[in-house]
């Protein structure tokens, strides 16, 4: 989970640009990806957008997207973001 300052920055971004990535739910409505986005949408008073995961292995999906995100936060991701992609 993001710390308070990071969460507020995400909320500000969502308020300014909209929610660019949907929150991913499993077939039971549990969040697979996007807990921070949901909280940021609440802070920004923006109606969150959702999609439902349609694959067969929600656990593997969750692990994959979170591992990828972590590797980007320590690798080229921040550099790419700082220079506009």
């Amino acid at each position: 989970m993001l710390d308070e300052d990071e969460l507020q920055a995400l909320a500000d971004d969502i308020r300014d640009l909209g929610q660019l990535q949907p929150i991913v739910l499993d077939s039971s409505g549990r969040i697979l990806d996007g807990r921070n986005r949901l909280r940021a949408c609440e802070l920004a008073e923006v109606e969150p957008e959702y999609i439902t995961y349609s694959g067969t292995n929600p656990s593997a999906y969750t692990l994959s997207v979170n591992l990828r995100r972590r590797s980007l936060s320590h690798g080229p991701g921040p550099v790419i973001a700082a220079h506009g992609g």
Side-chain angles (χ1 to χ4, degrees):
M1 295 297 290
L2 298 176
D3 69 30
E4 192 173 316
D5 290 337
E6 293 169 321
L7 189 60
Q8 186 59 57
L10 179 58
D12 293 343
D13 187 67
I14 287 174
R15 186 179 305 107
D16 293 343
L17 301 174
Q19 181 186 345
L20 301 178
Q21 296 293 322
I23 297 160
V24 182
L25 306 174
D26 69 7
S27 60
S28 298
R30 293 177 297 223
I31 297 174
L32 297 178
D33 182 47
R35 282 179 179 77
N36 289 311
R37 271 172 271 148
L38 176 59
R39 183 67 187 118
C41 284
E42 292 167 350
L43 287 172
E45 299 180 348
V46 169
E47 186 68 31
E49 296 178 24
Y50 300 93
I51 60 170
T52 300
Y53 172 73
S54 60
T56 58
N57 194 338
S59 296
Y61 170 81
T62 300
L63 182 62
S64 176
V65 296
N66 283 293
L67 285 175
R68 182 177 57 226
R69 187 172 298 119
R70 285 193 183 98
S71 69
L72 281 177
S73 68
H74 297 294
V79 174
I80 293 168
H83 297 311

